[in-house]
Amino acid sequence: MNTAMTREELEQILDQALQDVTEHTAGVRLRQKDQPLGQDLCTVHITFDAGLSTSLTLCADTALLARMACNSFHEEAVTPEDVEEFSNEYFNVLCGKVAGAIFRATQVSAHFGPPTFYHGRYEPEGQEAQFVLTYADEHSQGAQLIHHLARPAQDGAAAGGT
């Protein structure tokens, strides 16, 4: 993603996609706001494995994802399994919208693998954050959308290797 368009163009695509998909699928309005996330977090991660060599991670307050799942499922309460199911599907839709917008802008077809859900904060190995977009809703619950690039190879040393 980083060679076919500017960082600013990519940030704009990610921001617009996140706001549109979140409001449409979960009825929640997220706006960019620089605030720290809470302690109870969940993370969803996707790797683009064709067309682009990058990945996206959404790290969010569990309460925000639970509220989004409740809205999406039209339920008063949800289980942790419901939050995981919603989060994976939501992120899949979000990444599909991102891939479509990138294709329209660059004619580069992107393919991504299935999302992976984690309790807590997840940082993908061998990658580093290029930028982080931070959001909050009207209840001050937050989320971060993180764009990762492959970490430059170290001379003869594998970082974190066993």
Side-chain angles (χ1 to χ4, degrees), residues 152-161:
Q154 302 289 318
D155 291 332

Side-chain angles (χ1 to χ4, degrees), residues 125 157-162:
E125 283 189 40
T162 53

Side-chain angles (χ1 to χ4, degrees), residues 7-8 27 29 32-33 37 54 58 60 65 68 76 80-82 92-93 97 111 123 132 140 143-144 146 150 154:
R7 173 182 166 159
E8 292 76 21
R29 295 185 74 138
Q32 284 197 35
K33 184 176 181 182
L37 297 180
T54 185
L58 177 74
L65 293 173
M68 290 169 58
E76 293 290 320
E81 293 79 17
D82 292 334
N92 197 44
V93 171
K97 187 166 182 83
H111 178 267
E123 309 256 344
V132 178
S140 295
Q144 292 180 329
I146 306 160
Q154 302 289 318

Side-chain angles (χ1 to χ4, degrees), residues 46-69:
I46 277 184
T47 299
F48 287 86
D49 52 17
L52 307 169
S53 53
T54 185
S55 69
L56 288 175
T57 302
L58 177 74
C59 185
D61 290 323
T62 302
L64 173 62
L65 293 173
R67 187 163 62 87
M68 290 169 58

Side-chain angles (χ1 to χ4, degrees), residues 22-102:
T22 304
E23 191 162 348
H24 180 67
T25 63
V28 172
R29 295 185 74 138
L30 292 177
R31 296 294 177 243
Q32 284 197 35
K33 184 176 181 182
D34 193 23
Q35 77 171 44
L37 297 180
Q39 297 295 313
D40 185 10
L41 303 172
C42 293
T43 304
V44 189
H45 178 77
I46 277 184
T47 299
F48 287 86
D49 52 17
L52 307 169
S53 53
T54 185
S55 69
L56 288 175
T57 302
L58 177 74
C59 185
D61 290 323
T62 302
L64 173 62
L65 293 173
R67 187 163 62 87
M68 290 169 58
C70 284
N71 290 352
S72 180
F73 296 156
H74 305 288
E75 298 288 340
E76 293 290 320
V78 291
T79 66
E81 293 79 17
D82 292 334
V83 171
E84 180 175 344
E85 177 185 336
F86 167 80
S87 298
N88 284 334
E89 187 58 34
Y90 161 80
F91 205 52
N92 197 44
V93 171
L94 174 64
C95 290
K97 187 166 182 83
V98 167
I102 289 171

